[in-house]
Amino acid sequence: DTEVTQTPKHLVMGMTNKKSLKCEQHMGHRAMYWYKQKAKKPPELMFVYSYEKLSINESVPSRFSPECPNSSLLNLHLHALQPEDSALYLCASSQVGIEAFFGQGTRLTVV
Amino acid sequence: DQQVKQNSPSLSVQEGRISILNCDYTNSMFDYFLWYKKYPAEGPTFLISISSIKDKNEDGRFTVFLNKSAKHLSLHIVPSQPGDSAVYFCAASARSSGSARQLTFGSGTQLTVLP
């Protein structure tokens, strides 16, 4: 099983809403990542969790709040987003190593 | 400062011919390189990787070549098929003390394989 599952696939939210993106993997990977990708751009790293601890936060605004409840789950809590935050949000996992496996992404639209 | 560069935003190749996608990097600390394939509105799919101690890695139709002295790598796809049409991202990874490795991506190359 080399699958990273992200829900929901699509999300439309208003600027005053609170929503959460979810990510799950059952490969026993101990590193999990959130990336943001805008159209025609490469994925940009947002957060890295290693052994369920936040190890990297790439200067992401506080309206994005990550959470790692256990080694299989990763959430991204969203609050008071701006229209420019609309993007494809990608979750990935790796065995604290090399190849990162990506989920299908959540297409987020902020209206 | 882009540490991983893909200078060709697009490439068109005839079906059955070879596709060669190129990638350059600047950071000497990178010790692992990967290629991902991405369709629109989907997550990147891992294709093939190479360690910096090797100069070639092959997996079926995909071969990655690494030239450390030139800080250059390339992905060869042969024979190319229409289903290979996608955006290809080069990524590089370096050891990081105290935290998980992270990937640095190039800007991507749109490959179109013409029937």
Side-chain angles (χ1 to χ4, degrees):
Chain A
D1 179 10
T2 56
E3 200 170 278
V4 176
T5 304
Q6 287 188 245
T7 55
K9 284 195 164 66
H10 302 275
L11 178 62
V12 179
M13 61 185 289
M15 290 190 282
T16 58
N17 290 161
K18 282 185 183 181
K19 296 285 185 185
S20 296
L21 309 185
K22 297 186 183 304
C23 175
E24 190 168 0
Q25 59 90 10
H26 295 287
M27 294 178 276
H29 289 172
R30 302 317 300 266
M32 295 186 77
Y33 310 78
W34 280 114
Y35 285 84
K36 172 182 176 179
Q37 186 177 25
K38 301 280 264 184
K40 300 191 186 302
K41 296 285 188 184
E44 292 178 25
L45 183 67
M46 298 175 74
F47 302 104
V48 180
Y49 273 84
S50 177
Y51 292 92
E52 297 156 55
K53 287 186 171 25
L54 183 64
S55 64
I56 295 175
N57 173 345
E58 292 285 359
S59 304
V60 179
S62 59
R63 57 186 185 269
F64 295 91
S65 174
E67 179 198 17
C68 190
N70 60 54
S71 60
S72 300
L73 294 174
L74 186 65
N75 298 322
L76 185 63
H77 302 297
L78 315 172
H79 174 53
L81 295 194
Q82 304 296 309
E84 59 265 28
D85 296 322
S86 299
L88 183 67
Y89 287 84
L90 295 162
C91 173
S93 71
S94 74
Q95 186 56 332
V96 203
I98 313 301
E99 294 91 3
F101 293 89
F102 284 82
Q104 293 292 291
T106 294
R107 171 66 61 189
L108 174 67
T109 304
V110 181
V111 297
Chain B
D1 176 32
Q2 262 193 299
Q3 297 186 64
V4 179
K5 297 180 188 178
Q6 293 176 257
N7 291 319
S8 298
S10 62
L11 173 69
S12 290
V13 170
Q14 209 67 39
E15 181 178 5
R17 307 294 291 267
I18 185 170
S19 296
I20 300 177
L21 297 105
N22 293 303
C23 179
D24 297 294
Y25 63 96
T26 56
N27 188 342
S28 300
M29 300 303 292
F30 289 142
D31 63 347
Y32 223 96
F33 304 89
L34 306 90
W35 285 95
Y36 285 83
K37 172 181 177 179
K38 188 177 184 303
Y39 295 115
E42 291 187 9
T45 301
F46 169 71
L47 274 177
I48 191 168
S49 62
I50 187 167
S51 161
S52 60
I53 62 173
K54 296 188 175 180
D55 55 17
K56 177 182 174 182
N57 188 25
E58 191 172 351
D59 183 2
R61 297 186 297 116
F62 302 93
T63 303
V64 56
F65 295 92
L66 175 63
N67 182 334
K68 275 185 67 177
S69 60
K71 292 191 174 68
H72 176 83
L73 64 153
S74 61
L75 174 68
H76 293 211
I77 307 172
V78 56
S80 302
Q81 299 172 354
D84 295 330
S85 297
V87 176
Y88 288 77
F89 287 101
C90 170
S93 172
R95 289 187 186 278
S96 175
S97 62
S99 71
R101 282 175 175 264
Q102 52 180 298
L103 295 174
T104 302
F105 284 88
S107 52
T109 296
Q110 171 69 57
L111 173 66
T112 303
V113 180
L114 304 167

